[in-house]
Amino acid sequence: GLVGAGTAGRWKGFGWIRLDDGQASSQRALGPEVISELRQYSTDLNTYFQDLLPALQTSGLKSIDKVRLYGRELVSQIASLLTCVSDVHVARHVDIDGIQQNGSSPSNPYSQTVETARRLVRTLEAVAQAVYNDTAVFLFTLQSVRDSDLLQYRQERKHAWDH
C-alpha cells in the first residue's frame, strides 16, 4: 500500500495523505522539540508502568482498584503519545520516493538513504498501529475483568512474579 495510506480517527498519514479541506493535516515539524517531547512521553510512560506493576503484583480488592486507576492513566498517556506522533508531518522532512537520475545507480548513497527512510517510515506506521491495537485490547481488558477473575488469575500466576 501507499505510505501513510488511509485516515481514521486521529491518523493523518504523517503528511503523505491529502485530507479533505475540513480536516487538519499533520502540522508539526520533525525536529529537536518533537524528539524532546517524545523522550518526555517515554519517561512518563515508564513511570506509569512502574506505578502499575506493584498494583498487579499485590493481591486484595484495593489493589484491583489501583490496577484500574493506573491502567486508565497509562491508556490516557499512551493516547497523548499517539496524538503527538500522529501530528508530526514526516513527509515534509523524509524522502521516500527518491529521484532517479539517468545513469544513477540504485546503490548510490542517496538511493540507499531513501530505501532506509522507506523502511523506517513503514516501521513507524506499523508500530503506531500496533500501539493503537494493543492499547485498545488493554483498555477492554481493564474494563471487563471482574474482581474475582483478577484475584484468581494472580493466584494462578503467583510464581511468575517471583522470577
Side-chain angles (χ1 to χ4, degrees):
L2 296 173
V3 172
T7 59
R10 291 188 175 126
W11 179 253
K12 300 170 190 162
F14 296 121
W16 275 284
I17 302 299
R18 181 174 168 86
L19 302 175
D20 295 335
D21 294 332
Q23 291 180 297
S25 65
S26 303
Q27 297 298 317
R28 298 184 68 193
L30 180 60
E33 305 83 26
V34 170
I35 300 301
S36 177
E37 189 174 344
L38 291 174
R39 278 193 188 111
Q40 185 60 49
Y41 276 116
S42 176
T43 299
D44 293 347
L45 279 173
N46 188 46
T47 301
Y48 284 107
F49 276 118
Q50 294 305 318
D51 290 344
L52 180 61
L53 186 60
L56 288 169
Q57 294 174 339
T58 307
S59 60
L61 293 178
K62 287 192 179 217
S63 68
I64 294 170
D65 291 337
K66 285 183 179 182
V67 166
R68 289 184 179 130
L69 173 67
Y70 294 144
R72 284 191 304 263
E73 289 174 351
L74 179 63
V75 168
S76 177
Q77 186 67 20
I78 292 170
S80 296
L81 168 68
L82 288 169
T83 298
C84 175
V85 168
S86 70
D87 200 37
V88 176
H89 196 299
V90 178
R92 184 180 300 155
H93 306 283
V94 178
D95 181 10
I96 60 160
D97 295 325
I99 300 171
Q100 289 292 331
Q101 298 175 349
N102 291 339
S104 69
S105 167
S107 64
N108 72 39
Y110 180 73
S111 295
Q112 292 172 354
T113 301
V114 168
E115 186 58 36
T116 299
R118 189 176 295 134
R119 275 194 317 274
L120 289 172
V121 168
R122 289 290 192 191
T123 301
L124 175 61
E125 291 173 337
V127 168
Q129 185 61 53
V131 172
Y132 274 110
N133 295 347
D134 292 349
T135 303
V137 169
F138 178 68
L139 179 60
F140 177 74
T141 302
L142 277 176
Q143 293 173 337
S144 63
V145 168
R146 296 183 312 244
D147 297 347
S148 60
D149 291 343
L150 191 53
L151 290 173
Q152 180 182 357
Y153 176 78
R154 282 191 186 142
Q155 290 171 350
E156 293 171 358
R157 303 287 186 227
K158 188 172 189 291
H159 69 279
W161 299 120
D162 295 331
H163 299 294

